[in-house]
Amino acid sequence: PVGHGTGCTFSAALTAGLAQGISFFEAAQIAKKFVTLSLKAASLSPLGKGISPLDHLIHLDRLKARYQVLKDLEAAAEFFCSFPVRELIPEVQSNLGYALPLAQKQDEVAAFPGRIVACGERARPVGCPTFGASRHIANVILSALKFDPSVRAALNIRFDESFIKRAQNLGLSVAEFSRRQEPPEIKAREGSTLIWGISAVCSQLGFVPDLIFDRGEVGKEPMIRVLGKDPFEVTQKALKLLSGGPK
Amino acid sequence: PVGHGTGCTFSAALTAGLAQGISFFEAAQIAKKFVTLSLKAASLSPLGKGISPLDHLIHLDRLKARYQVLKDLEAAAEFFCSFPVRELIPEVQSNLGYALPLAQKQDEVAAFPGRIVACGERARPVGCPTFGASRHIANVILSALKFDPSVRAALNIRFDESFIKRAQNLGLSVAEFSRRQEPPEIKAREGSTLIWGISAVCSQLGFVPDLIFDRGEVGKEPMIRVLGKDPFEVTQKALKLLSGGPK
Amino acid sequence: PVGHGTGCTFSAALTAGLAQGISFFEAAQIAKKFVTLSLKAASLSPLGKGISPLDHLIHLDRLKARYQVLKDLEAAAEFFCSFPVRELIPEVQSNLGYALPLAQKQDEVAAFPGRIVACGERARPVGCPTFGASRHIANVILSALKFDPSVRAALNIRFDESFIKRAQNLGLSVAEFSRRQEPPEIKAREGSTLIWGISAVCSQLGFVPDLIFDRGEVGKEPMIRVLGKDPFEVTQKALKLLSGGPK
Amino acid sequence: PVGHGTGCTFSAALTAGLAQGISFFEAAQIAKKFVTLSLKAASLSPLGKGISPLDHLIHLDRLKARYQVLKDLEAAAEFFCSFPVRELIPEVQSNLGYALPLAQKQDEVAAFPGRIVACGERARPVGCPTFGASRHIANVILSALKFDPSVRAALNIRFDESFIKRAQNLGLSVAEFSRRQEPPEIKAREGSTLIWGISAVCSQLGFVPDLIFDRGEVGKEPMIRVLGKDPFEVTQKALKLLSGGPK
């Protein structure tokens, strides 16, 4: 039960917008988004008993988060690349993504603009982490995050039966979707297969598993996505799949 | 008509090997390879009339070539990456390979160990060019080189119908193979599809075309390979396919 | 005339701190810093007539700024490195720094952890911009920022008489300090020469000039620092000094 | 006692040159260099008793060496940068150079075009090793190589008294030169201080020591150069100076 303060929040946000000189219509739109997001945040961590007030601080948190997301990605990628991870890297290379809290759009997910690239027995991140850098990994995270807002990070790795087996032996939850079962009307919309696949898996399971994989299709490499709450958790899960990695 | 000097070359090479302290059997094997390669080189550029003598200098040329191949790859990749080539780079990223004269093995073909990777609107080579760095691009070049020893370089780029059309309009020769037509007994041997595909195209045409593409398969991204005599020719051909590139 | 709201701001900040469970003493210290910074920000851009209220938004701005500072550094360095800047890069290499508004400490100034490094005729940034990455450039900016809070960015470049002349011809303000005139008691404190030199120049001039240089000393390369309000302004000033750069 | 074959080598080389269509004068010059270098190589490793024949293979070796030098530099730099070497890197950054056998010119010494750059607690090579990339390190090696042709590699590191002491404790030979003692007529010639300093040290000692350092001068950072027969030996010596390095 959430909702205290919806009206006054809206009018305060509207006034703030008008004071900045933007049009009434724009200010109203921004105010609406502000209220919606505050409501959502409040529903995740309601305050007190009865009807919880809105969580205005979500906006402040997201400003802080934007910086922290970049620095966490940098640090987690450096950690990951300090291991000989070659066998984890697929032909399309890997990417590590991390979303802002309650992210809804691709440009609220940061990743490496040149991906994480195999080179010799190691891998290296190419470019500095950037919001909006990867459509693929953003779609994976945004779809999972809708089911569980605590899941904000993902890493795609090479598909190999041995990784799946090792994950299951380690007690990680693993789920599969098949690109061929995607309804044709959804397939028609470009870029939607990953969204459909991740969503289908999560809604069937009722939770977001640690690994979601598919066996590929014409023109599409099979792929495993490792999911978790932040890039450190995600890279640690992935390293456990490595034959010689930390167990 | 080639062959003058086969016997004396063999015995000279054999003696040289024995003088270095290796076994008779090994020395004989090395001497045989030496003669075969000298014969091959002589047949490419026969000397004088009648039966041409062997081309001993091929061995010297290959030593020089090893250095030159690396430096040419570096320079050609820098040239290529000075253009906004993003749209040319496939999901699996590109690689640019360059073979030693008369190369026969993957470790006689140099390429970039971390491939040539899209980053923003540009691409960048990852790592310094190295012999044996890429199995894929080596297979492409080695297969083409068997049909035409002057073809020593290749670059794989993203498949797009518009690239094929532009290439044809520019008068480049373009050929296609289908991974599905590969005989199952060949497919059984790992890593052989590219070898089969490139060879099939060239033997059917009777020459090595500028572009060879396939439309992919389950788990395999469709791909265009640009072929040519050196990495400069290859990157220039590829840049011509770019919508905004030099025409 | 600034100061409205000092008391209530302090008590609000104190209460907020206590609510977060930190000790009274700590909360009071944080509240004091909060008030001081708000006062400072208000004095820079006072609101209304009479005694201006505090500028609470400075804290919000700094959170936003932390992210924006990194992204601006990345973009400005990419712009700078798209020119053939080799002749601008000193032996110790360059670095480009950018401070948070009203920064007071080295870890409130971001720069490139591996500097901006000459390679061939170009330069490239090494590593992703990071707060606290450079002591040198942070000292330059922090010293200038004390005189003029709008000066938040600096780039060190190679000393050359021709750069000084070109700057003067372009109407840029140029000033010099001599490491030999630093009072010995200040020199005794490690790392203080740059702070002393920049401060001495600015307090003598009464403003922060575009360029501050020194002619070096035993063990110290002579150096020019280009100063400005943000990394774009700074890199543009530096490019004007380039013989073949944009004029 | 060396010299068998001087005449016939010269005429063979001359004929070879003329056959390639170059002028008599040019061919004679090249032939002379060829003989000189063959003589020098023979004197280093004379063959048989009595007057040794020339070492024609030196030319072949140098062709091979050009490739090998690059690959050894790459591998040694990767090895070096796998340790936390930050404290070894000077303000002007480090470079690692490796010369061809009997090198006489700067473009016969390869090094990293963007040097080896500190970044966080580690360092990384910038660019791929290239002949002629560094004037400084080439001058160091060429000067040492004149005294002892087996010394073909050098690395410059940060000057610190503790490194000097540790080197002496480890039994490494250490020598110093002072830039102030360079005769003014030599100083007049640009770029000659390092040549003078290294030569002075070696001719005084009668051999090339492991470390040569100077304490800097106006505009010049103090510096240690580690010398050795190849880049592996040189980087291993340098790592021993590291407080936490392999002993």
Side-chain angles (χ1 to χ4, degrees):
Chain A
V2 168
H4 260 189
T6 316
C8 74
T9 298
F10 181 82
S11 60
L14 182 64
T15 315
L18 294 172
Q20 283 171 27
I22 61 175
S23 78
F24 185 86
F25 184 69
E26 273 186 301
Q29 280 187 316
I30 290 172
K32 182 153 175 280
K33 276 194 196 154
F34 191 96
V35 171
T36 310
L37 194 55
S38 301
L39 259 168
K40 212 162 184 176
S43 70
L44 286 176
S45 47
L47 221 61
K49 295 180 183 175
I51 298 176
S52 162
L54 297 193
D55 181 2
H56 292 169
L57 285 179
I58 178 66
H59 305 283
L60 202 73
D61 285 354
R62 282 162 64 97
L63 282 178
K64 263 194 289 192
R66 206 161 259 272
Y67 171 74
Q68 203 53 49
V69 154
L70 298 186
K71 286 299 150 184
D72 286 354
L73 277 176
E74 249 183 87
E78 194 186 333
F79 169 73
F80 182 67
C81 294
S82 70
F83 294 90
V85 293
R86 217 255 140 82
E87 57 169 317
L88 291 177
I89 310 295
E91 288 296 322
V92 300
Q93 315 300 322
S94 290
N95 212 337
L96 179 62
Y98 194 19
L100 291 178
L102 300 175
Q104 290 175 309
K105 292 178 301 181
Q106 288 177 0
D107 63 8
E108 292 171 340
V109 183
F112 291 88
R115 304 188 185 175
I116 294 178
V117 173
C119 189
E121 282 318 298
R122 300 197 169 258
R124 61 175 84 167
V126 175
C128 299
T130 304
F131 283 92
S134 168
R135 201 164 48 81
H136 292 300
I137 209 75
N139 279 341
V140 169
I141 298 176
L142 291 172
S143 306
L145 192 146
K146 274 191 189 163
F147 281 83
D148 179 353
S150 76
V151 174
R152 285 170 49 202
L155 171 76
N156 69 303
I157 61 170
R158 189 169 68 85
F159 172 78
D160 195 295
E161 296 288 357
S162 74
F163 294 152
I164 301 300
K165 263 181 226 155
R166 200 167 294 131
Q168 287 165 334
N169 291 342
L170 288 162
L172 294 174
S173 52
V174 179
E176 178 179 2
F177 70 89
S178 164
R179 288 171 177 269
R180 292 171 194 206
Q181 288 165 12
E182 186 182 5
E185 68 277 13
I186 294 183
K187 209 162 200 156
R189 279 179 269 143
E190 194 250 358
S192 62
T193 305
L194 270 177
I195 301 177
W196 166 82
I198 303 290
S199 305
V201 159
C202 297
S203 64
Q204 205 179 325
L205 286 177
F207 65 92
V208 178
D210 298 303
L211 270 67
I212 300 178
F213 72 96
D214 77 284
R215 290 172 191 274
E217 202 191 9
V218 175
K220 295 289 179 188
E221 188 180 1
M223 194 69 56
I224 301 174
R225 295 93 192 166
V226 185
L227 296 128
K229 66 180 167 59
D230 61 46
F232 301 104
E233 193 189 288
V234 158
T235 48
Q236 269 157 348
K237 281 182 197 170
L239 288 170
K240 283 181 188 162
L241 306 182
L242 210 54
S243 45
K247 287 292 146 51
Chain B
V2 168
H4 259 188
T6 316
C8 74
T9 298
F10 181 82
S11 60
L14 182 65
T15 314
L18 294 172
Q20 283 171 28
I22 60 176
S23 78
F24 185 86
F25 185 70
E26 273 185 301
Q29 280 187 317
I30 291 172
K32 182 155 174 279
K33 277 195 196 152
F34 191 96
V35 171
T36 310
L37 194 56
S38 301
L39 259 169
K40 212 163 184 175
S43 71
L44 286 176
S45 47
L47 221 61
K49 295 178 185 176
I51 297 177
S52 162
L54 297 194
D55 181 2
H56 292 169
L57 285 179
I58 178 67
H59 306 283
L60 201 73
D61 285 354
R62 282 163 64 98
L63 282 179
K64 262 195 289 192
R66 206 160 259 272
Y67 172 74
Q68 203 53 49
V69 154
L70 297 187
K71 286 298 149 185
D72 287 354
L73 276 176
E74 249 184 87
E78 194 187 331
F79 169 73
F80 182 67
C81 294
S82 70
F83 294 91
V85 293
R86 217 256 140 80
E87 57 169 316
L88 291 177
I89 310 294
E91 288 297 322
V92 299
Q93 314 300 322
S94 289
N95 212 338
L96 179 63
Y98 194 19
L100 291 178
L102 300 175
Q104 290 175 309
K105 292 178 299 181
Q106 288 178 358
D107 63 8
E108 292 171 339
V109 183
F112 291 88
R115 304 187 184 175
I116 294 178
V117 173
C119 189
E121 282 318 299
R122 299 196 170 260
R124 61 175 83 167
V126 175
C128 299
T130 304
F131 283 92
S134 168
R135 202 164 47 82
H136 292 301
I137 210 74
N139 278 342
V140 169
I141 298 176
L142 292 172
S143 306
L145 192 146
K146 274 191 190 165
F147 282 83
D148 179 353
S150 76
V151 174
R152 286 169 48 201
L155 171 76
N156 69 303
I157 61 170
R158 189 169 68 85
F159 172 78
D160 194 295
E161 296 288 357
S162 74
F163 294 152
I164 300 300
K165 264 181 224 154
R166 199 166 296 130
Q168 288 166 334
N169 291 341
L170 288 162
L172 295 174
S173 52
V174 179
E176 177 179 1
F177 70 89
S178 164
R179 287 171 177 270
R180 292 170 195 207
Q181 289 165 12
E182 185 183 5
E185 68 277 13
I186 294 184
K187 209 161 200 157
R189 279 180 268 143
E190 194 250 358
S192 62
T193 305
L194 270 177
I195 301 176
W196 166 82
I198 303 290
S199 305
V201 159
C202 297
S203 64
Q204 206 178 326
L205 285 177
F207 64 92
V208 178
D210 298 303
L211 270 67
I212 301 178
F213 72 96
D214 77 285
R215 291 173 191 273
E217 202 192 9
V218 175
K220 295 289 179 187
E221 187 180 1
M223 194 69 55
I224 301 174
R225 295 94 193 164
V226 185
L227 296 128
K229 66 180 168 57
D230 61 47
F232 301 104
E233 193 189 287
V234 158
T235 49
Q236 269 157 348
K237 281 182 196 170
L239 288 170
K240 283 181 187 163
L241 306 182
L242 210 54
S243 45
K247 288 290 146 52
Chain C
V2 168
H4 260 188
T6 316
C8 74
T9 297
F10 181 82
S11 60
L14 182 64
T15 314
L18 293 172
Q20 283 172 26
I22 61 176
S23 78
F24 185 86
F25 184 69
E26 273 186 300
Q29 279 187 317
I30 290 172
K32 182 154 175 279
K33 276 195 197 153
F34 191 97
V35 172
T36 310
L37 194 55
S38 301
L39 260 169
K40 213 163 183 175
S43 70
L44 286 176
S45 47
L47 222 60
K49 295 180 184 174
I51 297 176
S52 162
L54 297 194
D55 181 2
H56 292 169
L57 286 178
I58 178 67
H59 305 282
L60 202 73
D61 285 353
R62 281 163 65 98
L63 282 178
K64 262 195 290 193
R66 206 161 258 272
Y67 171 73
Q68 203 53 49
V69 154
L70 297 187
K71 286 299 149 183
D72 287 354
L73 276 176
E74 248 183 87
E78 194 186 332
F79 169 73
F80 182 67
C81 293
S82 70
F83 294 91
V85 294
R86 218 255 139 82
E87 57 170 316
L88 291 177
I89 310 295
E91 288 296 322
V92 300
Q93 314 299 322
S94 289
N95 212 337
L96 179 62
Y98 194 18
L100 291 178
L102 300 175
Q104 290 175 310
K105 292 178 299 181
Q106 288 177 359
D107 63 9
E108 292 171 339
V109 183
F112 291 89
R115 303 188 186 174
I116 294 178
V117 173
C119 189
E121 281 318 298
R122 301 197 169 258
R124 61 175 84 168
V126 175
C128 299
T130 304
F131 283 92
S134 168
R135 202 163 48 81
H136 292 300
I137 210 74
N139 278 342
V140 169
I141 298 176
L142 292 172
S143 306
L145 192 147
K146 275 192 189 163
F147 281 83
D148 179 353
S150 76
V151 174
R152 286 169 48 201
L155 171 76
N156 69 303
I157 61 170
R158 189 169 69 85
F159 172 77
D160 194 295
E161 295 288 357
S162 74
F163 294 152
I164 301 299
K165 264 182 224 153
R166 200 167 295 131
Q168 288 166 334
N169 291 342
L170 288 162
L172 295 174
S173 52
V174 180
E176 177 179 2
F177 70 89
S178 164
R179 287 171 177 270
R180 292 172 194 205
Q181 288 165 13
E182 185 182 6
E185 68 277 13
I186 294 183
K187 209 162 199 156
R189 279 180 269 143
E190 194 250 358
S192 62
T193 305
L194 270 177
I195 300 176
W196 166 82
I198 303 290
S199 305
V201 159
C202 297
S203 64
Q204 206 179 324
L205 285 177
F207 65 92
V208 178
D210 298 303
L211 270 67
I212 300 178
F213 72 96
D214 78 284
R215 291 173 192 273
E217 202 191 9
V218 176
K220 295 289 178 187
E221 188 180 0
M223 194 69 56
I224 301 175
R225 294 94 192 166
V226 185
L227 296 128
K229 65 180 167 57
D230 61 47
F232 301 104
E233 193 189 287
V234 158
T235 48
Q236 269 157 348
K237 281 182 197 169
L239 288 171
K240 284 181 187 163
L241 306 182
L242 210 54
S243 45
K247 287 291 145 52
Chain D
V2 168
H4 259 188
T6 316
C8 74
T9 298
F10 181 82
S11 60
L14 182 65
T15 314
L18 293 172
Q20 283 171 27
I22 60 175
S23 77
F24 185 86
F25 185 69
E26 273 186 300
Q29 280 187 317
I30 290 172
K32 182 154 175 279
K33 276 195 197 153
F34 191 96
V35 172
T36 310
L37 194 55
S38 302
L39 260 169
K40 213 162 183 175
S43 70
L44 285 176
S45 47
L47 222 60
K49 295 180 185 175
I51 297 176
S52 162
L54 296 194
D55 181 2
H56 292 169
L57 285 179
I58 178 66
H59 305 282
L60 202 73
D61 285 353
R62 281 163 65 98
L63 282 178
K64 262 194 290 191
R66 206 161 259 272
Y67 171 74
Q68 204 53 49
V69 154
L70 297 186
K71 286 299 149 185
D72 287 354
L73 276 176
E74 250 184 87
E78 195 187 332
F79 169 73
F80 183 66
C81 293
S82 70
F83 294 91
V85 293
R86 218 255 140 81
E87 57 169 316
L88 291 177
I89 310 294
E91 288 296 323
V92 300
Q93 315 300 322
S94 289
N95 212 337
L96 179 62
Y98 194 19
L100 291 178
L102 300 175
Q104 290 175 310
K105 293 178 300 181
Q106 288 178 359
D107 63 8
E108 292 171 340
V109 183
F112 291 88
R115 304 187 185 175
I116 294 178
V117 173
C119 189
E121 281 318 298
R122 300 196 169 258
R124 61 175 84 167
V126 175
C128 299
T130 304
F131 283 92
S134 168
R135 202 164 48 81
H136 292 301
I137 210 74
N139 278 341
V140 169
I141 298 175
L142 292 172
S143 306
L145 192 146
K146 274 191 190 165
F147 282 83
D148 179 354
S150 75
V151 174
R152 285 169 50 201
L155 171 76
N156 69 303
I157 60 171
R158 189 169 68 85
F159 172 77
D160 194 295
E161 295 288 357
S162 74
F163 294 152
I164 301 300
K165 263 181 225 154
R166 199 166 296 131
Q168 287 165 334
N169 291 342
L170 288 162
L172 295 174
S173 52
V174 180
E176 177 180 2
F177 70 89
S178 164
R179 287 171 177 270
R180 292 171 194 205
Q181 288 165 12
E182 186 183 5
E185 68 277 13
I186 294 184
K187 209 162 200 156
R189 280 180 269 143
E190 194 250 358
S192 62
T193 305
L194 270 177
I195 301 177
W196 166 82
I198 303 291
S199 305
V201 158
C202 297
S203 64
Q204 205 178 325
L205 285 177
F207 65 92
V208 178
D210 298 303
L211 271 67
I212 300 178
F213 72 96
D214 77 285
R215 291 173 191 273
E217 202 192 9
V218 176
K220 295 288 179 189
E221 188 180 0
M223 194 69 56
I224 301 174
R225 294 94 193 165
V226 184
L227 296 128
K229 66 180 168 57
D230 61 47
F232 301 104
E233 193 190 287
V234 158
T235 49
Q236 269 157 348
K237 281 182 197 170
L239 288 170
K240 284 181 187 163
L241 306 182
L242 211 54
S243 45
K247 286 291 145 53

